[in-house]
Amino acid sequence: MDIKTIILAAGQGTRMRSSKPKVLHKVAEKALLEHVYDTSAQLENNSIVIVYGHGGELVKEQLNYLDANWVEQKQQLGTGHAVQQAESFIRDSDKVLILYGDVPLLKNSTIEKLLDNVTPDSIGLLTVELDDPKGYGRIVRAEDGSVLKIVEEKDTNADEKLITEGNTGIIATPGNLLKQWLSKLQNSNAQNEFYLTDVIEMAVKDGVQVITNQAVSMDEVLGVNDRSQLAYLERAYQLKQAQNLMLQGVSLRDPSRIDVRGKFTSIGQDIEIDINVIFEGTNSIGNNVVIGANSIIKNAVIGDDVEILANCIIEDATVGSRSRIGPFARLRPQAELASDVHIGNFVEIKKSTIAMGSKINHLSYIGDATIGSKVNVGAGTITCNYDGVNKFRTVIEDGAFIGSDTQLIAPVTVGKGATIGAGSTVTKDTKENMLTLSRAKQITIKGWQRPVKVK
Ligand code: UD1
Ligand code: CA
């Protein structure tokens, strides 16, 4: 059977108090709806339908790249009504899976188990045992334990209110049965809504077996209704990332103070991460890497045995093995560092390649440069790469020594093994292995006296 996932994302989310639709709010820099989409997209033979709400055009616009059919639910008349909008996409032979767009942490393994319960005469229902079931639909069971129906909180009687098994809203059913049941939904209930939950009672009447699974953890089935729940799920998600990292051989000084907003294409062993480190986008980190406190690492490739000291920002950059970065260094896009490179405090590198063993240790700006191996760039060196209109490259060849406080006016090349005297403004290419300096001669004025205050 092919799978048809229907993601309900039309709810208004009033309690978010936001001008943007709820499902666009983010956990780990990814919209809630994208989390749900990504989880279901892992299923094989699956196609996805997203039901979005009136005014939810923005959702469709922003997440247009998703490989899904979009259906509008013009008025939010209930979860059953929402599924009805997707009816034309449901084939009789499909296994239909209903998910909520605001429940971001649902596990793939959980929905796979649920789908296994679907046969021509049985459906799957995901429930959860709750300490406080308030607000949830209750699972009403017969003496023998079989499911009879779901009763919404507002429709419960006193006995039903005491039931602690709640409906997660997530169900899986054969397409032909679902379509029959959808056509029979009524809104004669406390909220005058078309409840999807009513299909459970219909199934029982039709002699279809309702097989339940329980969610492994509460977090997995929690929906976001307000910003406090959003923050809670962000932490839950981050803690899970932290656990995964530790399982892979990464030491975290404090698992509650790390944020992974994205993914790792590879992660080495014996990595040590101090507090408040943020990973964004797609990162790859080698073995024996040490990352200091308060660093932000985004779309980076970090080699083996690299040491990143505290407070560094690394973005779209490559750091070769055994290099040492920071503290307080910034590697901007297209900074490509080979192995054994040292970048020190208050150094900014942009769109530059730096070959093996070179050092830029203090207070420098290196932009649009090609730096050879074993180059030493002194404190306060600036590549003047921009004339206000165009950008130009600076080339520093192998083994050059750039004295402190040098300005290199690009385009310019410093020859192999050349030395630049401190305080120079270099406007012309310099010769290999020679000393170049541009500096006013130092003079001493005899008999000069400091001015004194006029009385
Ligand atoms: C629903 C269930 C309830 C369950 C609870 C779990 C029904 C009738 N009730 O209640 O049994 O315990 O979820 O959280 O199904 N949505 C639409 N269109 C609509 C209404 C809702 O797309 O017209 C979407 C929402 O965006 C949301 C999901 O459906 O993603 C659930 O809606 P919500 O209003 O939160 O349902 P509850 O009343 O909490
Ligand atoms: Ca809800």
Side-chain angles (χ1 to χ4, degrees):
M1 284 162 114
D2 285 344
I3 298 167
K4 182 81 61 189
T5 303
I6 300 173
I7 304 178
L8 305 188
Q12 289 171 341
T14 335
R15 279 181 283 162
M16 293 299 284
R17 296 189 180 274
S18 172
S19 63
K20 100 184 153 189
K22 177 162 76 176
V23 290
L24 287 182
H25 285 266
K26 291 175 176 178
V27 163
E29 276 309 297
K30 189 158 99 172
L32 297 175
L33 180 55
E34 284 177 291
H35 281 272
V36 181
Y37 174 91
D38 285 354
T39 307
S40 60
Q42 289 172 40
L43 298 166
E44 276 170 34
N45 304 318
N46 177 34
S47 57
I48 299 174
V49 182
I50 299 172
V51 182
Y52 69 101
H54 183 62
E57 285 298 329
L58 200 62
V59 180
K60 202 175 146 183
E61 236 167 69
Q62 274 193 25
L63 303 180
N64 213 343
Y65 78 94
L66 299 179
D67 181 16
N69 287 300
W70 293 82
V71 190
E72 186 180 0
Q73 183 193 22
K74 287 204 172 67
Q75 272 183 297
Q76 279 70 66
L77 302 179
T79 49
H81 181 258
V83 176
Q84 283 172 344
Q85 311 310 303
E87 212 178 318
S88 62
F89 292 99
I90 303 173
R91 279 176 307 178
D92 285 348
S93 59
D94 285 339
K95 267 191 196 186
V96 181
L97 170 69
I98 311 286
L99 301 178
Y100 288 177
D102 56 2
V103 177
L105 303 192
L106 188 64
K107 283 205 192 82
N108 187 263
S109 55
T110 302
I111 55 184
E112 272 177 352
K113 266 188 250 159
L114 196 71
L115 284 163
D116 285 344
N117 293 335
V118 179
T119 70
D121 46 21
S122 64
I123 67 173
L125 170 65
L126 187 68
T127 73
V128 61
E129 200 47 50
L130 299 154
D131 293 334
D132 176 14
K134 198 165 176 287
Y136 282 78
R138 309 293 209 284
I139 310 295
V140 181
R141 290 181 184 266
E143 291 279 281
D144 66 358
S146 62
V147 173
L148 290 177
K149 60 177 176 178
I150 298 176
V151 182
E152 288 307 294
E153 165 89 18
K154 289 194 173 122
D155 302 294
T156 49
N157 61 34
D159 284 342
E160 289 161 347
K161 259 200 183 61
L162 301 175
I163 298 172
T164 52
E165 187 182 10
N167 173 34
T168 64
I170 291 151
I171 65 171
T173 139
N176 61 328
L177 296 178
L178 179 64
K179 283 200 282 188
Q180 286 170 30
W181 298 328
L182 285 178
S183 68
K184 291 192 244 168
L185 288 181
Q186 302 283 326
N187 66 348
S188 47
N189 50 51
Q191 303 183 82
N192 295 320
E193 285 185 2
F194 295 92
Y195 292 162
L196 180 65
T197 44
D198 285 352
V199 306
I200 300 299
E201 196 174 1
M202 294 179 189
V204 174
K205 283 218 174 85
D206 289 349
V208 172
Q209 201 192 352
V210 180
I211 305 175
T212 56
N213 287 124
Q214 285 226 345
V216 198
S217 74
M218 185 65 210
D219 295 346
E220 195 189 356
V221 293
L222 270 185
V224 172
N225 295 303
D226 57 35
R227 292 182 196 248
S228 134
Q229 289 167 336
L230 185 69
Y232 174 83
L233 287 182
E234 173 81 36
R235 270 301 105 208
Y237 175 88
Q238 292 303 345
L239 222 42
K240 213 174 78 189
Q241 305 306 303
Q243 301 294 349
N244 285 342
L245 286 174
M246 291 188 290
L247 285 174
Q248 290 176 71
V250 176
S251 279
L252 302 178
R253 198 62 66 85
D254 180 354
S256 67
R257 284 184 288 174
I258 176 173
D259 285 77
V260 181
R261 304 167 186 164
K263 58 175 190 235
F264 294 100
T265 47
S266 74
I267 186 100
Q269 286 189 336
D270 298 309
I271 295 169
E272 285 174 33
I273 301 177
D274 209 330
I275 60 166
N276 297 336
V277 173
I278 301 175
F279 293 97
E280 290 182 23
T282 305
N283 287 293
S284 154
I285 320 269
N287 295 312
N288 303 311
V289 170
V290 176
I291 302 175
N294 310 318
S295 290
I296 301 177
I297 299 178
K298 180 175 183 180
N299 301 325
V301 177
I302 312 284
D304 293 339
D305 306 298
V306 166
E307 196 178 357
I308 297 166
L309 301 171
N311 300 300
C312 289
I313 298 185
I314 298 178
E315 182 182 355
D316 293 303
T318 303
V319 179
S321 51
R322 295 180 305 278
S323 290
R324 196 182 67 214
I325 314 297
F328 295 100
R330 179 167 181 212
L331 303 185
R332 289 174 51 201
Q334 297 178 53
E336 310 228 333
L337 281 46
S339 54
D340 302 287
V341 167
H342 289 183
I343 304 296
N345 37 210
F346 308 108
V347 173
E348 173 182 347
I349 313 273
K350 186 217 76 171
K351 205 174 181 181
S352 297
T353 60
I354 299 171
M356 213 175 96
S358 288
K359 294 177 182 161
I360 309 166
N361 273 328
H362 325 269
L363 300 155
S364 290
Y365 171 63
I366 302 295
D368 303 300
T370 304
I371 297 184
S373 61
K374 299 248 164 81
V375 167
N376 195 315
V377 176
T381 296
I382 309 285
T383 53
C384 306
N385 57 332
Y386 187 49
D387 64 5
V389 184
N390 300 300
K391 300 242 166 84
F392 301 96
R393 290 198 75 78
T394 299
V395 177
I396 303 176
E397 293 180 350
D398 295 350
F401 181 99
I402 314 295
S404 297
D405 191 26
T406 292
Q407 304 99 56
L408 299 156
I409 315 290
V412 73
T413 297
V414 175
K416 221 169 163 178
T419 300
I420 308 295
S424 295
T425 302
V426 180
T427 52
K428 290 181 278 192
D429 293 356
T430 75
K431 296 229 160 54
E432 290 186 8
N433 300 318
M434 289 187 183
L435 170 68
T436 299
L437 71 163
S438 77
R439 193 195 277 168
K441 273 224 165 71
Q442 180 170 326
I443 53 171
T444 301
I445 296 171
K446 279 185 189 147
W448 179 84
Q449 290 197 327
R450 284 191 194 169
V452 285
K453 236 187 191 139
V454 192
K455 291 233 166 99

